[in-house]
Amino acid sequence: MRPCPQCGTACASDHQYCPACGFPVGTVGQPGQDRFIGKSLPGGYHVLDLISVGGMGRVYCAEQSVLGRTVAVKVIHPHLLSDENSAVRFMTEARAASQLNHPNSVAVFDFGRTDDGQPYIVMEFLRGKDLARVAYEEGPLSFTRIVDVLRQVLAALGEAHDLGIVHRDMKPENVILDAHERPPGRIARGLERAF
């Protein structure tokens, strides 16, 4: 058994998602398996858990010590550091994302480099389920709900396009739905996450 990092519910080790809140516990790391878990990054971000692994990097749940808030930290894969284009693209993504100020876009708070030079981005920690997971669990969504989510996604993309930013990874897994918050659809830009 292990606790869900989002709601604290006990989850069996073979669970892919928390039975209470739907958080993707199947990708959560265990202490000792990841060198960042339990460590602090420059800027006062204490890494709590691994959330997901994508093509560009690993996404962690962390606590910003000064403010006591939960954040998501995306750290570029070490093997991409030898490819200068990947590291530059990662930091360009951080700078571009930090310009967005739309209620349907994930907020980027900070970015920098770890002590050994790996770039990282600090973002708003999104609570909820991605659109792909919601569609899987609930089946086909109603036309009204599809239009509502699509309107929000397009509004966020519209702001990005007005600033000359292209998403490049728009997919249901990168749209997070939060039923407790208005507006309920958030774009998780470039998180490449499985949650």
Side-chain angles (χ1 to χ4, degrees):
M1 297 298 276
R2 60 186 167 181
C4 170
Q6 181 163 292
C7 72
T9 299
C11 302
S13 58
D14 63 338
H15 282 174
Q16 290 298 307
Y17 295 89
C18 173
C21 71
F23 191 84
V25 295
T27 57
V28 174
Q30 300 296 325
Q33 292 181 334
D34 188 288
R35 71 183 190 95
F36 287 113
I37 296 174
K39 306 287 185 212
S40 290
L41 299 176
Y45 304 103
H46 184 73
V47 178
L48 303 172
D49 241 326
L50 176 66
I51 298 172
S52 72
V53 179
M56 195 73 171
R58 299 168 77 84
V59 180
Y60 298 91
C61 176
E63 180 176 314
Q64 186 178 16
S65 304
V66 175
L67 298 177
R69 72 174 162 186
T70 303
V71 295
V73 177
K74 181 178 179 181
V75 181
I76 193 171
H77 288 306
H79 69 274
L80 294 176
L81 291 175
S82 60
D83 176 11
E84 189 58 34
N85 289 336
S86 293
V88 168
R89 191 176 81 196
F90 187 84
M91 294 309 282
T92 301
E93 173 189 330
R95 285 185 186 94
S98 69
Q99 295 174 15
L100 297 175
N101 191 29
H102 194 277
N104 296 112
S105 294
V106 66
V108 173
F109 302 132
D110 197 4
F111 54 94
R113 291 185 179 266
T114 64
D115 291 334
D116 63 351
Q118 284 181 257
Y120 66 86
I121 302 172
V122 180
M123 300 166 283
E124 171 185 13
F125 183 79
L126 300 176
R127 289 173 170 80
K129 297 178 184 179
D130 66 61
L131 182 57
R133 182 70 187 167
V134 170
Y136 173 78
E137 290 178 351
E138 298 177 17
L141 303 179
S142 71
F143 181 75
T144 303
R145 190 164 184 200
I146 290 169
V147 169
D148 186 43
V149 171
L150 187 58
R151 185 178 324 126
Q152 293 173 64
V153 169
L154 292 174
L157 289 173
E159 181 197 44
H161 292 175
D162 288 346
L163 294 170
I165 299 167
V166 177
H167 190 288
R168 296 187 319 169
D169 195 23
M170 196 68 249
K171 58 188 178 185
E173 292 82 357
N174 282 346
V175 177
I176 308 303
L177 302 181
D178 185 347
H180 303 293
E181 187 177 331
R182 289 306 286 171
R186 288 281 189 74
I187 296 176
R189 277 181 324 282
L191 288 182
E192 298 172 15
R193 56 186 231 179
F195 66 99

